[in-house]
Amino acid sequence: MPRVGVIGGGQLARMMVPEALELGIEIRVLAEAEGAPASIAATAVGDYRDVDAVLSFAADVDVVTFDHEHVPQHVLRALEDSGTVVRPGPDALLYAQDKILMRRRLQELGLPVPEWTTASSPEDLERFLADHGGSAVVKTPRGGYDGKGVRVVRAAADVADWFAALDEDGNGGELLVEELVAFRRELAQLVARRPSGQIEAWPVVETIQRDGVCAEVLAPAPASAGRVADVAAQIAVDVAEGLGVTGVLAVELFETDDDRLLVNELAMRPHNSGHWTQNGSTTSQFEQHVRAVLDLPLGATGTVAPWSVMVNVLGGPTDGSALVDHYPAMLDRHPTAKMHAYGKSPRPGRKLGHVNVAGEELDQVVYEARAAAAFFTTP
Amino acid sequence: MPRVGVIGGGQLARMMVPEALELGIEIRVLAEAEGAPASIAATAVGDYRDVDAVLSFAADVDVVTFDHEHVPQHVLRALEDSGTVVRPGPDALLYAQDKILMRRRLQELGLPVPEWTTASSPEDLERFLADHGGSAVVKTPRGGYDGKGVRVVRAAADVADWFAALDEDGNGGELLVEELVAFRRELAQLVARRPSGQIEAWPVVETIQRDGVCAEVLAPAPASAGRVADVAAQIAVDVAEGLGVTGVLAVELFETDDDRLLVNELAMRPHNSGHWTQNGSTTSQFEQHVRAVLDLPLGATGTVAPWSVMVNVLGGPTDGSALVDHYPAMLDRHPTAKMHAYGKSPRPGRKLGHVNVAGEELDQVVYEARAAAAFFTTP
């Protein structure tokens, strides 16, 4: 029986477990700590930056994949040098780890991206601002997620702390500076790619962010049939092939006011924008990821209902209650809502779970999913 | 977080694990042996007939339920006496454990059953045969499953060994004797019932048996809309309420040549006839069972496609290969097929897994599911 090893014990690893179990594939997790969301499959607890811990975990699996993109390149290279199959591989992951390298590579590939530059000094940034109507988005190239490491700025002083950190770092670091894109909405295109080249795409979805964090996903994106769907899928296929991605790839896109699609961010793993597939597609992104990293043929990505909506449960109750305390009321009112909980304690802003609903009428599906998720938020 | 304890580590317990995990419900399994199908959640290994082993396992869970119906009544009573919540409870399980008691009780409830009697001697059986055209079905009241403990007989000599065993037993035991029902097809009606009384039914399905073992399930049963569906659901509701069942209940039915529905067997747990719900219904039988035994509101039981078909993988390859060795070919040809493997080694007749397919056209869905499952049978 092939064994998949997952580095990182968060909710993405957790949600791979049921899919691997049903397929009869053994899955093992290297978790950061006891009691991590994926602890049911954790065979080791250790730091993903520790070469010895990672090599020891990987010695007993057939392929290593990831719950997150934060494993350092030197650890990934050591894994490969030890003979471990790593999917996605370090060459691909590099572009999910460093946003400047990602922007540069996507531009080389001719893919549509916002206007961008790098800034190693406030002067660089001021120059870009002057050329772009006085506003820009500044990102730290590494380590950002869920809106962290991203700021909308009107002046270099807005990121004075980041420039100061660059100076202290002394490594000649740079910030990524991008135009503030005038967009109508945000989309995400999810695909999976096998090492042997097969790629399958799910329908493009609309993602609704709040405070930089994914709050809701509508699948497929309303009014996307035709050109939008085709272009989004083609962009993601080009990214997957151009960067040599294996496993699931999420491409976050801006749909601009003037009808273009621009690549915003990439994730090389199952992604929040694909959670709807658990109840809305013939093949969930978690099953597909397991299949892809084992180089097994990919599953069908059609939908089981005209509309699927996912609403994140963020933060959770503030009155000391647990999510399950609200199940009796929520499940009673929303029998079609599918709850997915990550085994985490409530904390402001924390992703604790999500609710999926699939159905015939978009308005009704959105209502059900929002109303169900609202049971977990103390007003 | 509530904890569900499952006695028995077979595939039914295994398939509860993903559903509990997604709901954020902790699930613990008392397995018969190391490496059992549900071993990922096994917190103890022990004999379900051993009161101490069972009590010790149960001490740390909120509710005990089952992978099978074989836990002896004295163990179930000891569990209840210790304050453990047992669902389904011993009073209900009794009727799944003893077919004579089941027949008697269903008849008291006015439910349609085949003509039957008990036989403690060959003479009793011969009398029934003489009154029923010379044939009958004889069943051992306890311990039978998958066609074991069931024989079609033309003479008392056909079950001479069972009568001899009754004599040796010396407990005044009896065999169950039933008319050989002339049936058009076999159906199964699955429902779930909460302790508080809520009941939800899935559509009635057609089950196709080979050698007394479930081979295929068509959901819903073709041409069942209307009277057949209504009567089947009503029978199962009456059984669930009449016997006080909690959790999933499967009622196996004969659809007779003269258009009646007769109750054949009962199972008080997720059942092979309900595996299609994993990919064909808004709520799978495994999720519903977990919800029901925790007295949580039940999920919607609608279908996600007009037709779902399940085909069992029985026996598996005889050439020494494992199921996964056939995944590349099978998954490549059948991208809509959903594989469920139980983590067991191939052995003649053994249930190793099943394939579910859902879709628009029954012929096509049947073809896909059969063709996919056939990859695992060496010709």
Side-chain angles (χ1 to χ4, degrees):
Chain A
M1 188 167 64
R3 281 192 193 136
V4 175
V6 186
I7 299 185
Q11 64 259 26
L12 302 179
R14 178 185 177 98
M15 291 186 278
M16 293 178 204
V17 174
E19 306 288 357
L21 193 68
E22 289 299 334
L23 284 169
I25 304 290
E26 192 175 334
I27 187 164
R28 298 181 171 205
V29 168
L30 173 63
E32 297 76 11
E34 303 285 347
S39 58
I40 191 171
T43 54
V45 170
D47 188 335
Y48 57 82
R49 293 162 300 192
D50 175 346
V51 173
D52 291 339
V54 171
L55 286 180
S56 155
F57 166 73
D60 224 20
V61 301
D62 297 296
V63 57
V64 161
T65 189
F66 307 94
D67 174 73
H68 56 69
E69 292 109 341
H70 307 316
V71 180
Q73 282 285 320
H74 75 275
V75 177
L76 298 172
R77 304 288 171 186
L79 266 177
E80 285 207 326
D81 291 346
S82 76
T84 302
V85 178
V86 179
R87 290 177 181 155
D91 292 342
L93 269 174
L94 190 57
Y95 300 106
Q97 293 177 327
D98 188 309
K99 292 177 184 177
I100 292 175
L101 295 179
M102 181 269 280
R103 279 278 171 262
R104 192 166 288 142
R105 182 78 185 118
L106 294 188
Q107 199 158 43
E108 285 170 9
L109 289 168
L111 289 162
V113 296
E115 289 186 41
W116 67 281
T117 190
T118 58
S120 52
S121 70
E123 293 70 34
D124 294 341
L125 175 53
E126 290 293 356
R127 218 163 13 244
F128 188 91
L129 286 168
D131 291 346
H132 292 83
S135 60
V137 177
V138 181
K139 299 176 178 177
T140 55
R142 290 167 167 276
Y145 68 97
D146 280 353
K148 293 177 184 65
V150 176
R151 281 188 206 158
V152 175
V153 305
R154 310 281 165 193
D158 294 343
V159 284
D161 52 336
W162 289 356
F163 281 118
L166 288 185
D167 285 344
E168 279 172 35
D169 196 30
N171 284 324
E174 295 177 312
L175 298 176
L176 174 63
V177 183
E178 299 178 346
E179 65 171 317
L180 185 60
V181 174
F183 62 83
R184 185 182 298 142
R185 58 179 178 171
E186 292 185 75
L187 305 176
Q189 176 64 56
L190 209 71
V191 299
R193 181 172 176 271
R194 291 168 66 189
S196 57
Q198 186 192 8
I199 299 186
E200 295 293 338
W202 286 271
V204 67
V205 302
E206 178 173 346
T207 63
I208 298 164
Q209 321 282 324
R210 277 191 210 109
D211 302 326
V213 180
C214 177
E216 298 180 10
V217 172
L218 316 182
S224 64
R227 194 192 68 87
V228 173
D230 292 349
V231 171
Q234 191 57 54
I235 289 172
V237 166
D238 289 347
V239 172
E241 291 180 341
L243 273 47
V245 179
T246 49
V248 165
L249 166 74
V251 180
E252 297 184 54
L253 298 159
F254 294 122
E255 184 179 35
T256 66
D257 289 349
D258 58 351
D259 262 334
R260 292 173 302 147
L261 296 184
L262 302 178
V263 177
N264 181 18
E265 306 277 357
L266 303 181
M268 294 181 192
R269 49 169 170 75
H271 187 250
N272 205 158
S273 67
H275 290 355
W276 67 275
T277 59
Q278 293 174 306
N279 303 102
S281 176
T282 300
T283 307
S284 89
Q285 64 168 346
F286 300 101
E287 177 185 349
Q288 200 79 302
H289 189 72
V290 169
R291 287 164 73 150
V293 302
L294 287 169
D295 202 14
L296 288 171
L298 302 177
T301 51
T303 56
V304 303
W307 298 103
S308 292
V309 172
M310 186 235 46
V311 177
N312 273 337
V313 175
L314 294 168
T318 53
D319 61 358
S321 59
L323 292 189
V324 292
D325 297 331
H326 302 271
Y327 282 12
M330 186 283 261
L331 298 173
D332 182 57
R333 291 284 288 278
H334 301 288
T336 63
K338 306 317 293 181
M339 182 72 200
H340 301 268
Y342 309 153
K344 296 175 176 175
S345 312
R347 197 168 71 197
R350 196 179 204 192
K351 286 183 182 173
L352 300 182
H354 63 273
V355 175
N356 287 335
V357 179
E360 300 290 320
E361 297 291 337
L362 180 58
D363 287 355
Q364 180 64 18
V365 173
V366 168
Y367 164 76
E368 291 284 348
R370 285 184 186 163
F375 275 87
F376 303 106
T377 311
T378 319
Chain B
M1 187 167 65
R3 280 192 193 136
V4 175
V6 186
I7 298 185
Q11 63 259 27
L12 302 178
R14 178 187 178 98
M15 292 187 279
M16 292 178 204
V17 174
E19 306 290 357
L21 194 66
E22 289 300 333
L23 283 170
I25 303 290
E26 191 175 334
I27 186 163
R28 298 182 171 204
V29 168
L30 173 63
E32 297 77 11
E34 302 285 347
S39 58
I40 193 170
T43 54
V45 170
D47 188 335
Y48 57 81
R49 294 163 298 193
D50 175 347
V51 173
D52 291 338
V54 170
L55 286 180
S56 156
F57 167 75
D60 223 21
V61 301
D62 298 296
V63 57
V64 161
T65 189
F66 308 94
D67 174 74
H68 57 71
E69 292 110 342
H70 306 317
V71 180
Q73 283 284 322
H74 75 273
V75 177
L76 298 172
R77 302 289 170 186
L79 267 176
E80 284 206 327
D81 291 346
S82 77
T84 301
V85 178
V86 180
R87 291 177 180 153
D91 292 342
L93 269 173
L94 189 58
Y95 300 105
Q97 294 177 328
D98 188 308
K99 293 176 184 179
I100 292 175
L101 295 179
M102 182 268 282
R103 279 278 171 262
R104 192 166 288 140
R105 183 78 185 117
L106 293 189
Q107 199 159 42
E108 285 171 9
L109 290 168
L111 288 162
V113 296
E115 288 187 41
W116 66 282
T117 190
T118 57
S120 52
S121 69
E123 294 68 35
D124 294 342
L125 175 53
E126 290 292 356
R127 217 165 12 247
F128 189 89
L129 286 168
D131 290 347
H132 291 82
S135 59
V137 176
V138 181
K139 300 176 177 177
T140 54
R142 291 168 166 274
Y145 67 96
D146 281 351
K148 292 176 185 66
V150 177
R151 283 188 205 158
V152 175
V153 303
R154 311 279 165 194
D158 295 342
V159 285
D161 53 333
W162 289 356
F163 281 118
L166 289 185
D167 285 345
E168 279 172 36
D169 196 31
N171 285 324
E174 295 176 314
L175 299 176
L176 174 63
V177 182
E178 300 178 346
E179 64 170 318
L180 185 61
V181 174
F183 61 83
R184 184 182 298 141
R185 57 178 179 172
E186 292 186 74
L187 304 175
Q189 176 65 55
L190 209 71
V191 299
R193 181 171 177 271
R194 290 169 65 188
S196 57
Q198 186 191 6
I199 298 187
E200 294 294 338
W202 286 271
V204 67
V205 302
E206 178 173 345
T207 63
I208 298 164
Q209 322 280 323
R210 282 194 206 105
D211 303 325
V213 179
C214 177
E216 299 181 9
V217 172
L218 315 183
S224 64
R227 194 193 68 89
V228 173
D230 292 349
V231 173
Q234 192 57 54
I235 288 172
V237 167
D238 288 347
V239 172
E241 292 180 340
L243 272 48
V245 179
T246 49
V248 165
L249 166 74
V251 180
E252 297 183 53
L253 298 158
F254 295 123
E255 184 180 33
T256 66
D257 290 347
D258 59 351
D259 263 335
R260 291 174 302 146
L261 296 184
L262 302 179
V263 176
N264 181 17
E265 306 277 357
L266 304 181
M268 294 181 191
R269 50 170 169 75
H271 188 251
N272 204 158
S273 67
H275 290 354
W276 69 274
T277 58
Q278 293 174 306
N279 303 102
S281 176
T282 299
T283 307
S284 90
Q285 65 168 344
F286 300 101
E287 177 185 348
Q288 200 79 302
H289 189 72
V290 170
R291 287 163 73 150
V293 301
L294 287 168
D295 202 14
L296 287 171
L298 301 178
T301 51
T303 56
V304 302
W307 298 103
S308 292
V309 172
M310 187 236 44
V311 177
N312 273 337
V313 175
L314 294 169
T318 53
D319 60 358
S321 60
L323 293 189
V324 292
D325 298 331
H326 302 270
Y327 282 12
M330 185 285 259
L331 297 174
D332 182 57
R333 292 283 290 277
H334 301 288
T336 62
K338 307 316 293 180
M339 182 72 200
H340 301 266
Y342 308 153
K344 295 176 176 175
S345 312
R347 197 170 70 197
R350 198 178 201 193
K351 286 183 181 173
L352 301 181
H354 64 274
V355 175
N356 286 335
V357 179
E360 300 290 320
E361 297 292 337
L362 179 59
D363 287 354
Q364 180 64 18
V365 173
V366 168
Y367 164 75
E368 292 283 348
R370 285 185 186 163
F375 274 88
F376 303 107
T377 311
T378 320

